[in-house]
Amino acid sequence: MKNDLLSIGGFTIHGYGLMIGIGFLAAYLFSDYRARKKGLDADHVFGLAIWVIVIGLASAKLLYYITTIDEIIKNPRLLLDVANGFVVYGGIIGGILGGYAYCRKYKLRFLKYADLILPAVALAQGFGRIGCFLAGCCYGIETDGVFAVVFRDSAYAPNGVRLLPTQLLSSGLNFLHFFVLLWLSGRVKRDGQVAGMYLVFYSLGRFVMEFFRGDLIRGNVGSLTTSQFISLFAAAAGVYVLARSRKLPEIADD
């Protein structure tokens, strides 16, 4: 619940940025390890990571601009704040598109590398949500429950109010998601099944978690939040990938 962790001179280490960095590093190292273990070209993991991170971050920022367009119209200077304000779904969509473009460019089997990397994406998301908790963004609804948290110096969450720690709940779900996908990855029979399950599991969890979020600035589509609306399509995409994967040949045993 403290975003400014350490200051040295004019340089400050922010908890949000630190946890995002740890998440990216953990995801890359884990994917690199699994690629070598599976006999895949680990050099491509680094290239994929660059494309996924860069395009994913740009897409996460773009979707944030879209969801806050009313505020931006009132104050166009918000466009200059490139360090704050990202939407996870934008990062997921952009990251997948970036990974697909990379695989097309280097003639790699996209679904095989998607199955390799997406469990690590869930791992990175777990660390990222801890960063959200430190910064106070993505906060939950008011509650009188025993697990409520109170922010005292947050630039995002309402200070002095008992809130549900949705950031930590999301973090726990993402870490659980990582372990479930990792367990399933050793049991699937066809490429694309892990990727499909990532989309389905994440979308379902995110759809439910949105009911407990208190940061309404993210916008709505009818009676659904923007993320709930996107979740419907992401889950459908996951089901489609799972259906298509059944037509692929079974993975040969290592």
Side-chain angles (χ1 to χ4, degrees), residues 123-207:
L123 176 65
Q125 288 175 303
F127 286 108
R129 286 305 183 189
I130 296 175
C132 291
F133 180 70
L134 294 174
C137 60
C138 308
Y139 54 89
I141 57 176
E142 291 188 38
T143 180
D144 292 325
V146 295
F147 297 108
V149 297
V150 178
F151 291 90
R152 301 297 183 188
D153 188 28
S154 173
Y156 306 100
N159 293 299
V161 179
R162 292 171 60 84
L163 302 172
L164 187 70
T166 49
Q167 309 97 325
L168 297 183
L169 293 174
S170 296
S171 177
L173 284 175
N174 280 310
F175 285 132
L176 177 61
H177 193 193
F178 162 69
F179 285 113
V180 169
L181 291 177
L182 190 60
W183 179 79
L184 289 172
S185 66
R187 290 161 175 79
V188 297
K189 299 298 183 181
R190 293 173 173 84
D191 291 336
Q193 290 181 324
V194 173
M197 287 185 284
Y198 168 88
L199 290 172
V200 171
F201 293 161
Y202 179 79
S203 299
L204 292 176
R206 182 61 186 270
F207 190 94

Side-chain angles (χ1 to χ4, degrees), residues 93 96 111 192 195-200 203 230-245:
I93 295 170
I96 290 175
L111 289 178
M197 287 185 284
Y198 168 88
L199 290 172
V200 171
S203 299
I230 297 174
S231 289
L232 298 178
F233 293 94
V239 171
Y240 173 77
V241 171
L242 288 172
R244 285 294 302 270
S245 69

Side-chain angles (χ1 to χ4, degrees), residues 20-191:
I20 293 293
I22 291 174
F24 282 152
L25 181 61
Y28 167 69
L29 292 176
F30 184 73
S31 297
D32 181 79
Y33 166 77
R34 291 188 69 218
R36 297 178 189 278
K37 188 175 180 180
K38 290 178 174 292
L40 299 175
D41 190 342
D43 289 340
H44 281 301
V45 174
F46 181 77
L48 267 169
I50 297 300
W51 283 50
V52 167
I53 291 172
V54 172
I55 298 177
L57 285 175
S59 299
K61 190 65 181 179
L62 176 61
L63 187 54
Y64 174 77
Y65 284 151
I66 293 173
T67 58
T68 58
I69 188 64
D70 291 340
E71 295 296 321
I72 291 174
I73 292 174
K74 295 177 184 177
N75 182 14
R77 291 179 61 85
L78 292 174
L79 291 170
L80 302 178
D81 185 7
V82 297
N84 299 301
F86 298 89
V87 176
V88 171
Y89 259 127
I92 293 173
I93 295 170
I96 290 175
L97 292 177
Y100 179 76
Y102 182 92
C103 289
R104 289 274 297 185
K105 177 178 175 63
Y106 292 99
K107 297 180 173 57
L108 303 176
R109 293 164 60 184
F110 170 67
L111 289 178
K112 180 171 287 294
Y113 278 89
D115 286 350
L116 172 75
I117 290 175
L118 281 173
V121 171
L123 176 65
Q125 288 175 303
F127 286 108
R129 286 305 183 189
I130 296 175
C132 291
F133 180 70
L134 294 174
C137 60
C138 308
Y139 54 89
I141 57 176
E142 291 188 38
T143 180
D144 292 325
V146 295
F147 297 108
V149 297
V150 178
F151 291 90
R152 301 297 183 188
D153 188 28
S154 173
Y156 306 100
N159 293 299
V161 179
R162 292 171 60 84
L163 302 172
L164 187 70
T166 49
Q167 309 97 325
L168 297 183
L169 293 174
S170 296
S171 177
L173 284 175
N174 280 310
F175 285 132
L176 177 61
H177 193 193
F178 162 69
F179 285 113
V180 169
L181 291 177
L182 190 60
W183 179 79
L184 289 172
S185 66
R187 290 161 175 79
V188 297
K189 299 298 183 181
R190 293 173 173 84
D191 291 336

Side-chain angles (χ1 to χ4, degrees), residues 220-238:
N220 295 80
V221 180
S223 61
L224 302 176
T225 68
T226 302
S227 291
Q228 284 178 322
F229 182 73
I230 297 174
S231 289
L232 298 178
F233 293 94

